[in-house]
Amino acid sequence: MAKLAILIPSYNEIHNLKKIIKKNYNFLIVDDCSSDGTSSLLKKKKIKFIRNNKNLGYEKSLIKGMKYIINNKFQTLCTLDADFEHPINKIDTLYKFFKKEDLDILVCNRKSQNRFLEKVLSNFFYKKHKIKDPMTGMKFYKISSLKKIIKNSSNKYFLVELVLQGIKNKFKIKNKEIKT
């Protein structure tokens, strides 16, 4: 049984994906109808991918990938953004922390958020739930826990909603700061 899957939703990020897929992980790329040759590259490199027939956007691509992964033989899912913002060289360290702490969700909070709304939401979330940066694209999920919460998601505020569902289900959730 494969333990860790790396899910990356991507739209016209071929140059970043070339750098990311050099690493030896079980990748699933959700190609959101890119026009830059992403699917051809992934096919050539024999990287598992799903290509959307039309542009669905970030959240819906993420959901599509999650549903695929939870129905396969993985124990843990790591989500990353395709823009190369997240430290791919820290995946092993973060994964070890996730396993050692026996977490349901690990939220890899960015040292600084780019958008004002992300900063506000992060501060609010921390005050209310002691969780920072719920909108980060880098998270680890225990698959058995993800199965329980993904079905209750409305898909409207997906990145935040999964963390809220985890809190509601009293899952073990922690932050680990990452440098972006």
Side-chain angles (χ1 to χ4, degrees):
M1 177 188 289
K3 295 183 179 193
L4 177 64
I6 310 288
L7 172 61
I8 304 173
S10 175
Y11 177 68
N12 288 337
E13 294 281 359
I14 192 170
H15 297 294
N16 291 327
L17 287 174
K18 285 178 182 176
K19 298 174 204 167
I20 293 170
I21 63 175
K22 286 181 180 178
K23 301 290 183 180
N24 188 23
Y25 291 109
N26 293 308
F27 288 108
L28 174 65
I29 312 295
V30 180
D31 178 9
D32 197 18
C33 207
S34 298
S35 59
D36 64 354
T38 293
S39 291
S40 297
L41 170 74
L42 297 172
K43 192 178 289 184
K44 180 181 170 187
K45 297 287 186 180
K46 297 183 171 137
I47 302 292
K48 180 71 180 161
F49 72 97
I50 298 169
R51 179 166 168 84
N52 294 339
N53 294 327
K54 64 179 184 174
N55 189 273
L56 298 178
Y58 181 83
E59 277 84 12
K60 288 182 180 175
S61 293
L62 198 60
I63 293 164
K64 190 173 190 177
M66 285 180 166
K67 287 180 178 178
Y68 176 87
I69 287 171
I70 64 175
N71 290 316
N72 285 281
K73 298 179 182 194
F74 293 99
Q75 295 174 338
T76 307
L77 168 64
C78 173
T79 58
L80 294 176
D81 292 346
D83 63 3
F84 212 59
E85 176 186 35
H86 304 117
I88 193 162
N89 61 329
K90 298 292 183 191
I91 288 176
D92 292 333
T93 304
L94 293 164
Y95 180 57
K96 286 177 187 170
F97 175 80
F98 177 83
K99 296 300 279 179
K100 180 180 168 231
E101 296 289 320
D102 192 29
L103 300 176
D104 294 292
I105 301 173
L106 174 62
V107 178
C108 300
N109 61 290
R110 299 164 289 179
K111 205 170 194 172
S112 62
Q113 292 85 34
N114 297 327
R115 296 174 194 90
F116 177 73
L117 181 61
E118 291 174 334
K119 292 175 186 176
V120 171
L121 187 61
S122 184
N123 286 332
F124 169 77
F125 230 75
Y126 185 73
K127 286 179 183 175
K128 185 163 173 88
H129 303 293
K130 302 296 182 231
I131 305 282
K132 297 176 188 173
D133 198 10
M135 292 183 73
T136 182
M138 187 175 198
K139 295 184 183 83
F140 287 75
Y141 300 90
K142 188 182 290 182
I143 295 293
S144 58
S145 301
L146 184 59
K147 283 181 182 180
K148 293 175 187 172
I149 60 177
I150 200 168
K151 63 183 173 194
N152 294 324
S153 172
S154 72
N155 304 339
K156 194 170 182 183
Y157 308 105
F158 194 69
L159 290 173
V160 176
E161 206 168 359
L162 289 180
V163 177
L164 283 171
Q165 289 289 333
I167 291 167
K168 182 179 173 183
N169 283 283
K170 300 189 183 333
F171 286 168
K172 190 172 179 184
I173 304 171
K174 284 194 175 181
N175 278 110
K176 190 79 168 167
E177 190 172 276
I178 58 171
K179 188 175 182 182
T180 54

